[in-house]
């Protein structure tokens, strides 16, 4: 117990002293996860809205793929991105493997289905309420996309936060494509796994505390946005 207590005390000292290595790991984690969430929003929000309002050949298959993508194991995504970015892969010439960019790509693949599926659900619910009104105004199907996205903005923001939470807590995919290189591709989750395995508990505990704060903030924000959405829609 004394060893754990000493490690916890050292962890808090690292946090209070704003340890530069610790801050660099946290900063990279946030940049990667926020970048992936932003890209996932750009891809997933319009895709989800389109799946909710439009009928086209292959729509059912695409919905199935999006729903399946929500449960993709991170290591599977990591392996897929690794094969694409490796020297023998189609994107190998760009030299992206073991870089923060590769980590963003992997997390984007993980988060996009989550954002798209939640966006589809939110827009479909609104469409049921607005269908007759939109038809009376003569607004065509595709033209409803920005309208419905705007009206569902709080629920969509909650969807993006849920995606960010998934990205921030993910370790398997970014470990495969990032390599956990010190000072270059080491994030909170990969550093926690590495330091715990080495028995270096102080930094692992400090990073775990920061990660818990990030996840807690997301979990507190999502219900708040959901309540705001119900007030607006009600």
């Amino acid at each position: 117990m004394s060893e754990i207590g000493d490690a916890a005390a050292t962890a808090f000292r690292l946090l209070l002293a704003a340890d530069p290595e610790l801050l660099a790991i946290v900063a990279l984690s946030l940049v990667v996860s926020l970048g992936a969430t932003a890209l996932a929003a750009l891809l997933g929000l319009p895709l989800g809205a389109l799946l909710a309002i439009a009928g086209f050949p292959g729509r059912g298959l695409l919905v199935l793929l999006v729903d399946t993508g929500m449960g993709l194991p991170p290591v599977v995504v990591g392996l897929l991105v690794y094969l694409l970015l490796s020297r023998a892969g189609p994107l190998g010439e760009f030299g992206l493997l073991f870089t923060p960019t590769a980590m963003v790509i992997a997390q984007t693949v993980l988060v996009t289905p989550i954002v798209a599926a939640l966006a589809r659900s939110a827009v479909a619910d609104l469409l049921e309420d607005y269908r007759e009104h939109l038809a009376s105004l003569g607004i065509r199907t595709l033209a409803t996309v920005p309208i419905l996205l705007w009206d569902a903005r709080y629920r969509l923001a909650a969807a993006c936060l849920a995606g960010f939470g998934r990205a921030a807590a993910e370790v398997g995919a970014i470990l495969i494509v990032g390599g956990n290189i010190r000072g270059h591709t080491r994030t909170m989750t990969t550093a926690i796994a590495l330091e715990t395995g080495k028995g270096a508990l102080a930094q692992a505990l400090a990073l775990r505390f920061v990660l818990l704060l990030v996840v807690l903030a997301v979990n507190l924000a999502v219900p708040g946005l959901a309540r705001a959405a119900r007030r607006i829609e009600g």
Side-chain angles (χ1 to χ4, degrees), residues 72 74-86 90 106 109 176-177:
L72 274 179
V75 290
V76 173
V77 173
L79 178 59
L80 174 63
V81 175
Y82 180 92
L83 293 175
L84 290 174
L85 301 182
S86 66
V109 175
I176 292 174
V177 302

Side-chain angles (χ1 to χ4, degrees), residues 120-227:
R120 180 172 65 88
S121 176
V123 172
D125 290 344
L126 279 180
L127 187 60
E128 288 300 314
D129 297 332
Y130 292 2
R131 190 182 301 277
E132 292 183 3
H133 180 64
L134 293 171
S136 68
L137 295 176
I139 299 177
R140 293 176 296 179
T141 300
L142 290 178
T144 66
V145 171
I147 298 172
L148 294 173
L149 285 177
W150 173 251
D151 283 352
R153 59 191 180 278
Y154 291 105
R155 292 179 63 180
L156 298 179
C160 291
L161 279 175
F164 172 75
R166 170 74 185 274
E170 193 279 320
V171 60
I174 57 174
L175 186 59
I176 292 174
V177 302
N180 196 30
I181 303 170
R182 186 174 185 176
H184 184 54
T185 60
R186 185 167 294 179
T187 64
M188 286 189 285
T189 52
T190 59
I192 289 170
L194 175 69
E195 298 301 323
T196 301
K198 290 166 50 181
L201 297 180
Q203 189 179 73
L205 286 172
L207 290 169
R208 187 174 285 115
F209 179 73
V210 175
L211 184 59
L212 285 174
L213 286 180
V214 172
V215 174
L216 178 63
V218 171
N219 286 335
L220 290 175
V222 169
L225 287 170
R227 287 193 295 271

Side-chain angles (χ1 to χ4, degrees), residues 3 14 26 49 80 114 119 150 158 163 173 189:
E3 182 181 352
L14 289 173
V26 172
L80 174 63
I114 297 174
W150 173 251
T189 52

